[in-house]
Amino acid sequence: MGQSQTAIEQSTGSPLTILSEDERMFRASVREFSEGELRPRVAQMDESAKLDPAILKQCFDLGLMGIETPEEYGGAAATFFTAILAVEELSRVDASVGVLVDVQNTLVNNALVRWGTPDQKQNYLTKLASNSVGAYALSEAGSGSDAFALQTRAVDKGDHYLINGQKLWITNGNEADIFVLFANANPEAGYRGITAFIIEKSSPGFSIGKKENKLGIRASSTVELILEDCQVPKENVLGELGKGYKISIETLNEGRIGIGAQMIGIATGAFESALAYTRERQQFGKTINQFQAVQFQLAEMATDLEAARLMVYNAARLKDAGLDFVKEAAMAKLFSSRVAERIASKAIELFGGYGYVKDYPVEKYWRDSKIGAIYEGTSNMQLQTIAKLIIGGK
Ligand SMILES: Cc1cc2nc3c(=O)[nH]c(=O)nc-3n(C[C@H](O)[C@H](O)[C@H](O)COP(=O)(O)OP(=O)(O)OC[C@H]3O[C@@H](n4cnc5c(N)ncnc54)[C@H](O)[C@@H]3O)c2cc1C
């Protein structure tokens, strides 16, 4: 108790939740934006299922769309953990903006930083850090968990590829200008034909289809992409031909930590709402937080949240340290999505009838939490990854 910040930082084995000066300042600036600009717009964005363009612009202005991007491309050259803090803080107020920033940083920018050619980086990373939204297009109607069964095909036409197929469930699709899209360029080779392409919205043969009307994260657009003889220049192949499967596995391994961050943000928002409400609401002549049954529920929520946050932060810090993180990332996503759902559900109960209506924020946290068990690999897929890694191969 009473240990100074510096003393804590200097001690060996720095506690996971202790932030560096830079991290603290960054988190404070994201919180200021979330509370001041985002919170007043959340209900309307949820109701209309539309992202406010002013929020999008501010995400760029604040540097939230190129957190890890090197400075030479206009990014903030910060750590992966910093991106995780941004997703957590934004999701504490609105998980739709959380996933906007998450997909941009942990999937799209990440793929370009790791596999982009110098020209691709110069062109696309610069745009993505300053004014262009990115989307990541792997899933199709018939291939979700079994992602490598994708049916979108790319045919070599000399100086360009012709791509045909449809993508489904693509986050940021309505706002995006730049798509990292996976298609099979050599179906005979099975998954070893899968190739990643960088596709611009203006490409001939590319169009946006139906927008989904969702349970939660409603202000985040989720759309179908239609590719009909879509022309993509050869220089827009991302990474090696036939190595798209590797790009998708590796980006999603990191992306999962981002979803974990989204989930602990939702859980924090719901928990804080419940804490404040139970402090005010009176029944039987006292505030309801004076009943031990309510106190114990709050204590359970706080403990769940602490555990989930430690798992997400640890996975992110392992990644930044260049250590193995795949098992920890899968565990963090699995656990934090369960925790977010549990905490948001309990928050509704603690609000009583008021929790069930849209005048209060907790029903939205619950709706938003559900996606954590589905995208970037369902909970069963996380369990499969964890099981494989703990049991080991022959
Ligand atoms: C809001 C939203 C946003 C999304 N954003 C994107 C995006 O930006 N880009 C993108 O590419 N995709 C995106 N997705 C797609 C998402 O990743 C898939 O929905 C997800 O991977 C699950 O695939 P599926 O829907 O086809 O379900 P299925 O794969 O059909 O799974 C149905 C059920 O079967 C279970 N199951 C399947 N196979 C197995 C197995 N082998 N063992 C045990 N259980 C199994 C699953 O766990 C699940 O419970 C998004 C989805 C949503 C809903």
Side-chain angles (χ1 to χ4, degrees), residues 166-231:
Q166 276 147 30
K167 294 290 173 183
L168 200 63
W169 313 116
I170 307 309
T171 299
N172 294 352
N174 258 2
E175 296 78 22
D177 291 313
I178 298 164
F179 296 79
V180 171
L181 184 142
F182 297 84
N184 200 320
N186 182 11
E188 282 97 78
Y191 73 91
R192 289 180 183 277
I194 295 173
T195 301
F197 295 87
I198 306 167
I199 302 188
E200 297 187 23
K201 188 181 189 168
S202 57
S203 307
F206 181 88
S207 60
I208 306 287
K210 176 176 158 250
K211 175 175 176 258
E212 304 297 338
N213 183 9
K214 304 196 298 294
L215 170 75
I217 55 164
R218 289 176 51 77
S220 160
S221 65
T222 309
V223 305
E224 182 187 19
L225 307 180
I226 301 160
L227 300 105
E228 286 171 325
D229 283 341
C230 175
Q231 269 186 47

Side-chain angles (χ1 to χ4, degrees), residues 20 32 51 54 80 118 130 144 152 158 164 169 185 189-190 212-213 223 282-283 336 390:
S20 70
E32 192 184 328
L51 190 71
F80 179 74
S130 58
T152 300
N164 279 285
W169 313 116
E212 304 297 338
N213 183 9
V223 305
Q282 299 226 352
Q283 289 292 282
S336 60
I390 58 173

